[in-house]
Amino acid sequence: MHSAEHILNQTMVRMFNCKRSFSNHIEKKKSKCDYHFERELTEKEILTIQDKVNNVIQQDMSVVEEFLSRDEGEKNYNLSNLPEGVGKSIRIIKIGDYDACPCSGMHVSHTKAIGKFKIISTNFEDGVLRIRFKLLDE
Ligand SMILES: [Zn+2]
């Protein structure tokens, strides 16, 4: 689930030039990510996002972790979503050459293990776009 969220975030950034989700709720069955956004997505955009995420998953990219010092981490990444006091080293999760982002959660080692990514619904309210998704076993 966590790995899927990273890919979804990077896909949103690339498609819409928006920021990664500012708030999310990741669970085994269903997850949701919230983005600061300007409008609701169209049906076509939702399908495009889904295709792009599944395309990355199908390429079976390796998911690796890398440790940086806090200084190096601050230079290259936005660390504001990390909990306080994560220590001196920052863990960066890299998904192939597609995405890299600091995270302390659990991840798969290869993207194919994520399964199939499906957007359940989206809604837009007060500048916030919410995307709900689930993962299907293949
Ligand atoms: Zn993560």
Side-chain angles (χ1 to χ4, degrees), residues 48-106:
T48 305
I49 295 167
Q50 218 169 255
D51 283 351
K52 283 181 189 279
V53 171
N54 280 317
N55 189 271
V56 172
I57 292 172
Q58 281 307 315
Q59 289 178 51
D60 206 20
M61 294 181 179
S62 56
V63 181
V64 295
E65 55 178 24
E66 188 183 293
F67 290 90
L68 295 180
S69 70
R70 186 164 262 282
D71 283 353
E72 283 172 307
E74 269 165 6
K75 243 183 268 165
N76 297 301
Y77 299 97
N78 175 6
L79 303 181
S80 61
N81 285 336
L82 285 183
E84 282 295 315
V86 285
K88 284 209 173 88
S89 64
I90 306 294
R91 188 173 73 146
I92 308 294
I93 297 298
K94 289 189 169 173
I95 302 184
D97 56 6
Y98 193 71
D99 184 46
C101 121
C103 185
S104 54
M106 296 266 291

Side-chain angles (χ1 to χ4, degrees), residues 1-5 24-32 106-108 113-118 120 132-137:
M1 261 304 178
H2 229 271
S3 313
E5 181 233 325
N24 55 63
H25 194 76
I26 308 294
E27 287 205 21
K28 264 210 174 116
K29 291 208 166 137
K30 276 189 221 167
S31 295
K32 57 189 179 194
M106 296 266 291
H107 302 86
V108 297
I114 294 171
K116 198 165 187 322
F117 172 84
K118 178 140 182 58
I120 304 165
R132 293 188 193 81
F133 64 94
K134 62 181 176 180
L135 301 174
L136 310 168
D137 298 328

